[in-house]
Amino acid sequence: MRTLNAGWFIAGLVITFLVNVPFGFWRADAKRRKSKLEWALAVHLPVPLVVVLRRLAGLSWDTSGVPLIIAFVLAYFLGQKTGGKLYTRAVESGLEPGRNVFAVLRFGNGREGEAI
């Protein structure tokens, strides 16, 4: 059994959440446009990164690591959910953001929906 690396564990949770926000945004757009392929990609593309982060943190699949793995799963789904909520709010406010989560940023000139 490997030892838990607390720094990688915390960093891994934060990175997992942050990486999944744009993927959740993309997933919500794909669902709205009924694109099953894009929806599947938006859900599954970040998984290898999460596995690598979990390994860097020193988590194993034995029973002692299960509660900590659940934390990674929660960070994954919270990031996806947050991205989906951002998409929904952007659409409800009249924007058509497409797949780009960065399109909903406000700039100093007050214009919304301008892509980076």
Side-chain angles (χ1 to χ4, degrees), residues 21-88:
V21 170
F23 281 99
F25 194 89
W26 180 24
R27 177 188 49 80
D29 177 63
K31 183 177 180 182
R32 182 173 182 225
R33 291 184 299 105
K34 295 181 173 57
S35 174
K36 292 179 182 180
L37 175 62
E38 284 191 32
W39 184 91
L41 288 172
V43 169
H44 293 97
L45 281 177
V47 170
L49 174 67
V50 175
V51 170
V52 168
L53 292 170
R54 182 186 65 81
R55 297 288 294 166
L56 287 172
L59 297 178
S60 62
W61 282 106
D62 64 6
T63 55
S64 65
V66 170
L68 300 175
I69 291 171
I70 290 172
F72 270 91
V73 172
L74 287 174
Y76 176 90
F77 285 114
L78 284 173
Q80 287 273 332
K81 184 78 169 170
T82 301
K85 289 283 186 191
L86 286 172
Y87 181 85
T88 302

